[in-house]
Amino acid sequence: MNVLYSHIFPAYREYAELTDEARIDWLRRDRWISLPQAEAALRHLEDLVIYPPRGRMPCLLLFGATGMGKTEIVSRFSKLHAPQFDIRTGLSKMPVLLAQIPPEPSEEQFYTEVLTALNCVDLSRLSVRSMRAEARQLLAEVETKVLVLDEIDKMLAGTPRQQRVFLNTIRFLTNDLKIPIVCAGTEDARMAVLMDPNLADRFGAFELMPWRNDHALRQLLASFSGLLPLRRPSMLDTVEARQRVLALTQGVTGRIFRLIEAAAVTAIRDGREMLDAASFEANDVTLPLVSMFTSAGKRRTIGRATV
Ligand SMILES: Nc1ncnc2c1ncn2[C@@H]1O[C@H](COP(=O)(O)OP(=O)(O)O)[C@@H](O)[C@H]1O
Ligand SMILES: [Mg+2]
């Protein structure tokens, strides 16, 4: 019945039949998309889950520019290892614990975040010492295998002393509990972690690189044609389309996704029902966010070779 939309992957064809508004709504929803770098990062994370406890646990720093998909990756990782309730023991298991770095990088705030992620409520009367003890005990009880800290850059808002205390806290936890810690953040965060010689040699690094004009980008753009609920086949496998996408997004994953989303919404509204290089005209009024990035990007890259 859906052979009409043979350019779309079979599982996605039904969405092309929805009304315009429903298709636009569909486009705007969050969904995980399997990307080569994100999958590679996930494989590294998976490896840590099964790492046997030993003297020095390996840790991982997942770093890359804002919008490269770090939060998506660690959220996906924590969803793949969602908490499980063990009926036999009456205890929950939380193999992967995801916590945000607090805006104020103090030990107290840090343990507040960790305890909140462990579903503890009413922490107001606890001293830092008891919070630390409570966090250690609970992390062992729920058998956390990997602790993931997102937005580690926030640590940089602290004074040099606060930052040292904070890095010590991380070191203490990984030594004491013998669990790997994953930190996600930007290049600045990477520098901060590397400043601590004791942490630097146990943190492996995985960098999310911006997209370039290569095979992976071709595949990504080709896959949009099969995923988007547009009724005509898109023509994104052209040099021009790739160049425009890169020029408008600087190869940042989140910007590419927003650009494609905005262009697809336009294609539904104006009845064109497909995407090609012309869908990414920089002066198109429907791409305000992306255009903002572009004009800033253009100023910075004047004189440099284009992709
Ligand atoms: N694997 C993915 N699947 C779906 N969307 C993604 C993926 N990676 C990135 N994105 C998109 O990019 C945006 C930015 O990603 P995010 O993880 O917040 O970046 P970061 O944490 O590195 O700043 C997300 O809001 C999402 O729309
Ligand atoms: Mg993030």
Side-chain angles (χ1 to χ4, degrees):
M1 130 200 172
N2 288 323
V3 280
L4 246 181
Y5 304 126
S6 58
H7 60 284
I8 305 179
F9 301 135
Y12 289 82
R13 282 181 197 155
E14 61 182 290
Y15 304 112
E17 293 176 349
L18 300 174
T19 62
D20 290 2
E21 286 319 306
R23 287 189 291 151
I24 290 171
D25 180 70
W26 186 91
L27 279 169
R28 289 177 171 162
R29 281 177 195 271
D30 279 336
R31 62 182 60 78
W32 168 258
I33 296 182
S34 172
L35 305 168
Q37 284 200 103
E39 294 294 341
L42 277 174
R43 281 195 295 276
H44 275 265
L45 296 174
E46 287 298 334
D47 221 30
L48 296 177
V49 179
I50 54 170
Y51 210 90
R54 62 166 216 205
R56 278 181 158 236
M57 293 305 283
C59 296
L60 185 74
L61 195 73
L62 177 64
F63 76 105
T66 302
M68 280 308 299
K70 302 178 293 293
T71 299
E72 293 283 336
I73 291 167
V74 295
S75 312
R76 172 82 176 165
F77 179 54
S78 83
K79 272 191 207 117
L80 290 173
H81 296 276
Q84 278 175 355
F85 184 71
D86 186 337
I87 300 177
R88 204 170 38 85
T89 59
L91 292 173
S92 285
K93 299 249 185 304
M94 300 174 96
V96 168
L97 193 78
L98 175 58
Q100 291 268 332
I101 298 293
E104 185 205 325
S106 66
E107 201 183 352
E108 184 181 359
Q109 290 298 320
F110 173 76
Y111 281 116
T112 304
E113 290 293 331
V114 170
L115 287 169
T116 307
L118 285 161
N119 296 328
C120 287
V121 283
D122 194 18
L123 307 165
S124 50
R125 267 168 289 134
L126 292 182
S127 65
V128 178
R129 224 173 124 169
S130 24
M131 280 171 122
R132 191 191 301 140
E134 182 86 2
R136 278 163 67 187
Q137 195 194 330
L138 276 173
L139 283 166
E141 235 166 59
V142 302
E143 295 180 22
T144 295
K145 301 274 190 280
V146 180
L147 174 62
V148 184
L149 305 173
D150 194 10
E151 304 202 357
I152 183 106
D153 321 51
K154 284 195 191 143
M155 174 187 88
L156 300 168
T159 61
R161 190 182 162 277
Q162 276 179 318
Q163 291 185 29
R164 268 198 311 279
V165 170
F166 197 74
L167 292 171
N168 275 337
T169 308
I170 293 181
R171 198 168 69 222
F172 170 78
L173 268 181
T174 175
N175 285 346
D176 189 54
L177 296 165
K178 306 245 177 299
I179 57 172
I181 295 185
V182 173
C183 293
T186 59
E187 170 68 23
D188 291 346
R190 187 178 79 100
M191 300 301 285
V193 171
L194 294 184
M195 293 279 276
D196 182 325
N198 294 303
L199 281 180
D201 66 352
R202 76 182 63 188
F203 265 90
F206 187 98
E207 182 176 9
L208 291 170
M209 307 282 282
W211 296 82
R212 287 175 298 135
N213 195 349
D214 61 9
H215 183 67
L217 181 67
R218 282 184 71 172
Q219 280 193 321
L220 176 71
L221 295 185
S223 69
F224 282 127
S225 197
L227 290 168
L228 298 171
L230 298 178
R231 293 175 180 162
R232 294 175 55 221
S234 292
M235 290 200 294
L236 293 175
D237 194 10
T238 64
V239 177
E240 212 193 352
R242 285 195 291 282
Q243 284 176 343
R244 288 224 180 144
V245 168
L246 286 179
L248 284 163
T249 63
Q250 286 80 48
V252 174
T253 311
R255 293 184 198 170
I256 295 182
F257 283 20
R258 275 207 301 276
L259 173 68
I260 297 289
E261 175 195 306
V265 168
T266 305
I268 291 175
R269 292 216 168 115
D270 68 13
R272 206 160 165 255
E273 294 289 346
M274 57 87 78
L275 300 184
D276 58 12
S279 312
F280 310 125
E281 290 292 351
N283 56 4
D284 191 321
V285 285
T286 60
L287 306 177
L289 268 176
V290 183
S291 309
M292 251 162 45
F293 284 126
T294 321
S295 37
K298 267 192 190 138
R299 272 199 299 279
R300 275 202 311 275
T301 51
I302 280 173
R304 255 200 251 162
T306 45
V307 272

